[in-house]
Amino acid sequence: MIFLGIDPGTTKIGYGIVEYQNNAFSCLAYGIIGKPGTDRQDSFLDTATRIRELITQFRPVAAGIERLFFEKNQKTAMAVSEMRGVILATLAQCGIPVHELTPLEVKKSISGYGRAEKRQVQLMVQRILGYAEPIRPDDAADALAIAISCASAPR
């Protein structure tokens, strides 16, 4: 089964696509959606288009997206919330079930400890997927962690 993970942001959205088969995960794709300097409306449209392309290419059975848990900067929180709305609407239009996961839930799913450091989670994702080198950029590594957590979520 194939799962899509999304780490929403204002200008960079991490995505990761994993396959879970025979009790093992493999990475099919990861990267960043977003073009710095793009105006908001174009960014919304580009994000929706890219997500549809990923869904068409990989046919995930479900998607995981990070739930905003706490944000100190309200201006940033609002912008990320707006982008999450675009992403959630696109997933709904494509008929993809969504699992919203807090950072704590993702950390616990990946490392067994909800207060794990970001680096610890990234190392575990690297090990789970069999990569010798760290996965870069961080937003994509986070999205892969979300995809793995989505695959591990009860259905």
Side-chain angles (χ1 to χ4, degrees), residues 82-96:
E82 290 171 346
M83 187 57 79
R84 279 185 87 251
V86 169
I87 294 165
L88 290 168
T90 303
L91 293 168
Q93 288 171 340
C94 294
I96 304 296

Side-chain angles (χ1 to χ4, degrees), residues 17-34:
I17 300 170
V18 298
E19 183 172 25
Y20 184 69
Q21 185 175 340
N22 300 324
N23 286 334
F25 285 99
S26 58
C27 178
L28 301 180
Y30 66 87
I32 296 294
I33 297 170

